Amino acid sequence: MRIIVFGGNGFIGSHLVDQLLKEGHTVRIFDHMPEPFRAPLDNVEYYTANFGDPFAMAEALEQVDIVYHLVSTTVPGTSNLDPIADIENNLVGTIRLLDQIVKANVKRFVFMSSGGTVYGNPRSLPITEDHPLSPICSYGVVKIAIEKYLHVYQHLYGLKPVVLRGSNPYGPRQGHKGVQGVISTLLNNLLNNVPTSIWGDGSVVRDYIYVSDLARLCLEAGMADNTGVYNAGSGIGYSLNDILECVGEIVGERPQIVYEASRGFDVRKVVLDISSAKKYFKWKPKIDLREGIYRTWDWIKQYHKH
């Protein structure tokens, strides 16, 4: 299959590209910047342009069978600072992409939404896909808006979209500047002997999924015929304090923590029900939290040696 990954030089995207190549697919990457942790791959076609550039998109979409959309110019912690930019870059950019997809007559479309933000503070756990959508940050609102537009394009133009509501991915090649990705941030700061700031008392619970497991689900979702919305997580919740303890055990040193005031847009608890993804894509996570943190720590140490 001929596949394009928008955001293919990013954290999740680079792991998806690895799996697509392993399966023998022809891969293009559309991204605004090179991959930060690796040199360009020999057997990949690269398109470097800003997301939302209709002319670059039109060229990149020629003779493509499947489109993966993994681009986000914001994270939950920054989206509320400038909701207009969030809308312009992510929502408007995605609609421009959808218009070009219709012109290119591409049907299969996989979108990475957000299982951590679209539901808001949950009424029940684990969270199923039919849980009410009540986001408390712009990031979640924009993700929902994109999901709704995918439904419109499915109805009007025969698009075959599948939406993956990803939880909190972690693993090798994740940025560690403290904006997103608490596990990689903790490990990187431990290596550099600097403290890590966390918001609140460490009791917030998240569903962490190792990046290769999420990439494998992306792969399976693209190759299947199903449409609709699917949660994409581990199905297990861990508090930040649980993460701190596990990191301390693996590294042999407890992270230095600076506790900051809790933030209003942080959901208190997220644990996703992943039974639909398991059923329809014959998939399940393989890497548990302890193994995943160990692998991430090993990669961070190796990367810092170079």
Side-chain angles (χ1 to χ4, degrees):
M1 303 283 274
R2 296 162 299 185
I3 297 166
I4 186 166
V5 182
F6 284 83
N9 288 334
F11 171 45
I12 302 170
S14 68
H15 286 271
L16 172 59
V17 167
D18 288 348
Q19 302 217 15
L20 290 168
L21 292 172
K22 185 178 178 182
E23 294 291 320
H25 298 289
T26 301
V27 179
R28 292 176 183 171
I29 289 175
F30 187 107
D31 212 313
H32 74 289
M33 62 181 288
E35 187 180 326
F37 299 111
R38 297 190 301 186
L41 303 174
D42 292 335
N43 46 352
V44 171
E45 189 176 4
Y46 289 88
Y47 288 81
T48 304
N50 288 326
F51 184 64
D53 180 337
F55 303 106
M57 285 177 171
E59 181 181 355
L61 287 167
E62 289 180 2
Q63 297 183 318
V64 163
D65 300 308
I66 302 173
V67 174
Y68 285 93
H69 175 9
L70 308 180
V71 172
S72 181
T73 65
T74 60
V75 297
T78 63
S79 63
N80 287 348
L81 299 176
D82 193 348
I84 293 173
D86 193 14
I87 293 165
E88 289 176 344
N89 294 330
N90 294 304
L91 178 56
V92 176
T94 299
I95 294 170
R96 287 190 177 127
L97 172 59
L98 291 173
D99 284 341
Q100 295 303 322
I101 284 172
V102 170
K103 292 177 183 177
N105 197 33
V106 181
K107 298 302 182 186
R108 193 60 173 163
F109 186 90
V110 181
F111 171 60
M112 183 59 67
S113 187
S114 170
T117 63
V118 299
Y119 300 112
N121 286 307
R123 300 180 184 180
S124 59
L125 293 172
I127 306 168
T128 58
E129 289 87 348
D130 59 1
H131 185 284
L133 302 175
S134 303
I136 54 177
C137 67
S138 177
Y139 185 89
V141 173
V142 167
K143 292 290 191 183
I144 292 170
I146 292 172
E147 290 185 18
K148 297 298 185 184
Y149 272 106
L150 289 177
H151 179 73
V152 170
Y153 277 71
Q154 181 177 12
H155 176 72
L156 295 179
Y157 306 112
L159 189 72
K160 294 178 63 178
V162 59
V163 173
L164 298 176
R165 290 179 176 162
S167 60
N168 287 55
Y170 70 98
R173 291 183 232 144
Q174 187 170 35
H176 36 248
K177 297 198 175 6
V179 178
Q180 192 175 31
V182 66
I183 291 174
S184 62
T185 298
L186 281 168
L187 294 172
N188 186 70
N189 288 348
L190 261 173
L191 191 65
N192 291 290
N193 197 32
V194 296
T196 300
S197 294
I198 66 171
W199 291 269
D201 60 3
S203 63
V204 296
V205 172
R206 294 290 181 267
D207 184 328
Y208 297 91
I209 183 169
Y210 191 67
V211 66
S212 65
D213 283 332
L214 182 57
R216 192 163 41 83
L217 177 56
C218 289
L219 171 69
E220 297 297 338
M223 301 304 151
D225 291 327
N226 306 70
T227 60
V229 177
Y230 301 87
N231 284 334
S234 68
I236 303 170
Y238 293 96
S239 71
L240 265 176
N241 291 325
D242 293 332
I243 299 296
L244 293 173
E245 184 175 343
C246 191
V247 166
E249 290 174 359
I250 289 170
V251 177
E253 178 185 351
R254 189 168 177 84
Q256 305 171 52
I257 300 299
V258 177
Y259 290 92
E260 309 280 1
S262 58
R263 304 177 295 187
F265 57 81
D266 282 327
V267 175
R268 291 186 298 273
K269 186 175 289 190
V270 173
V271 184
L272 300 180
D273 184 324
I274 58 171
S275 54
S276 289
K278 285 182 174 180
K279 176 181 177 181
Y280 290 105
F281 300 123
K282 304 296 186 284
W283 163 92
K284 64 179 180 179
K286 294 180 178 179
I287 308 298
D288 65 20
L289 183 73
R290 188 176 186 84
E291 175 67 17
I293 290 177
Y294 177 83
R295 291 187 183 193
T296 307
W297 175 236
D298 190 55
W299 176 82
I300 287 176
K301 288 187 296 182
Q302 293 297 321
Y303 177 73
H304 277 270
K305 286 180 180 179
H306 295 92

